[in-house]
Amino acid sequence: MFSRRLFLATGTAAALTAPAIVSARSLWRDYPFSLGVASGDPASDGFVIWTKLAPEPLAPHGGMALANASVDWEVAEDSGFRTVVQRGTFLARPELGHTVHVEVSGLRPDRPYFYRFTCMGEQSLRGRARTLPAAGTRPDSLKFGVAGCQNYEDGFYGAFRHLANEADLAFVYHYGDFIYEYRQPFEIVGGLPAAPVRQHAFRNLIDVADYRLAYAQVLSDMDMQAARVSHPFLSSFDDHEVNNNWVSMIDNWTMENGSSPDAAPAEVFAFRRAAAFQAWYEHMPVRRSLLPRGPDIALNRELRYGDLLSLQLLDTRQYRSDQPCGDGFKTECADVRAEDRTVLGREQEAWLARNLENQAQWYGLAQQIMMMSLDRRRRPEEPQKILNLDSWAGYEAARQRMLSRIAGLGNTIVLTGDEHQNFAGDLVHRDRVVGSEFVATSISSGGDGSNLRQGSDVFLANNPEVKFVNDQRGYVTCEVNREAWRTNYMVMDRVTVPGGTISRRATAEVAHGTPGVRMA
Ligand SMILES: [Fe+2]
């Protein structure tokens, strides 16, 4: 019970997390910072720092009274808080689940900072954040992490603890599926029913209290907290933050060929989307500009790392046309090539086009769904090409528009999640390699996995643009300098037991000026 107040005492984390004040006379019935601390959306002069008051995280309202609470915060240059450079007080409100989002600014560029919170005599863990280099500078190098897809029921979060211990990450891009919205009553292992590794505290999620419960359970995990306390996060969402494979105002969970009478109509689904977005906002270290407006949220945004990297965080869910051909893994239907169908929506496409006019050494597109259009067949007897219709492959006209934009840029890397497998491959436009795509596996979704999924020989033979595939859990780190981009695929031996060891399964490399993946 007390361990959460003490150290996350391994590797790099040891320096930044000290014991909180353990007051025998606390007014709190239990520790109010039970869901940890986080930082995010770094800029050259600051970042967001986050926490939430939740003495009983799984209870209604986190065990809080329905009143405002003042939370003090401090930002220091050193992990011992001898040089505090900013401090203030934030009013945590019950309307937003007593969460704290402080947008810290006025800091110096390209250096680490430390932060902590205090409320009525109890103190949080100390977190570490980092500012970005100033605009207009020419940084030599950058290392960052990519992670996501963390189904709580499928596995433990040992990969997050290893990610916490990665040295010198400027930030972690989280591509989404932070929560999953359903409970699996059983899994099938070797053809037999088996209990999930751990169980969600809910059956399904519909209103904001439900979604809050899902975040409370995930954030109660100490490996998860270790990652968030150690690195600033650049947070996105994918589908499971709301509902499986939703797009726009379309509730896809019960949709079969787009016509199920059980699916919520758009005006009803809007309530669920608003509840889901509110809970997502509350629990992510993001700026106030991402506060939802009803069922809408301004998710897409830009991160510039001097002139070395222009990273565009894209939203591939809110503005998208419905998946064609009834969604799923299927052969192509006419809708796949329909000109009017979109992934990003017209406004976001225009926003992206404007942002890509800057002169960066590398352009990164941080997004959710695979951009390579791959043949998903895994058995030689399957007669026709099969596409993943929830990926860019289901939106060929939009995909071609994006690839022609990438072709004009040069030096573009696409970072992707969603697939629960690792991939490295080339983006091909009119028979020319125009960019590279690195797909990061999952933290836990899919369970232990293995090096190669069954049928990978057929898959690789059908998709020559794919240079690497792997079906283990873990995360990715990207090491970027002016000459090359290296993506390291870090994989776990097991996630169905606590702990687990990490190893570098492969490194994929792209030379600046020469699009195309080489396996190092
Ligand atoms: Fe996922």
Side-chain angles (χ1 to χ4, degrees), residues 297-317:
I297 193 167
L299 180 73
N300 53 299
R301 54 209 195 273
E302 178 184 41
L303 181 150
R304 297 284 304 273
Y305 198 85
D307 76 339
L308 183 61
L309 172 65
S310 162
L311 187 68
Q312 307 296 323
L313 189 154
L314 304 182
D315 178 342
T316 59
R317 290 280 164 199

Side-chain angles (χ1 to χ4, degrees), residues 205-222:
L205 308 176
I206 294 288
D207 68 14
V208 71
D210 301 333
Y211 283 102
R212 282 172 176 165
L213 180 60
Y215 286 98
Q217 199 170 18
V218 163
L219 288 171
S220 295
D221 184 289
M222 281 296 137

Side-chain angles (χ1 to χ4, degrees), residues 149 177 180 240 418 420 445:
C149 285
D177 285 0
Y180 281 69
H240 291 289
D418 181 58
H420 306 173
S445 302

Side-chain angles (χ1 to χ4, degrees), residues 424-469:
D426 295 337
L427 293 164
V428 180
H429 180 58
R430 295 184 178 153
D431 297 326
R432 189 162 70 88
V433 176
V434 297
S436 307
E437 181 168 22
F438 300 122
V439 180
T441 185
S442 53
I443 288 286
S444 60
S445 302
D448 287 333
S450 60
N451 182 30
L452 289 174
R453 251 180 220 187
Q454 220 171 14
S456 290
D457 48 344
V458 174
F459 177 82
L460 287 167
N462 285 334
N463 296 292
E465 66 266 56
V466 174
K467 310 301 178 194
F468 170 69
V469 59

Side-chain angles (χ1 to χ4, degrees), residues 45-67:
D45 70 337
F47 36 74
V48 175
I49 56 174
W50 174 94
T51 192
K52 172 180 165 108
L53 300 174
E56 298 163 56
L58 301 186
H61 305 286
M64 291 291 291
L66 297 185

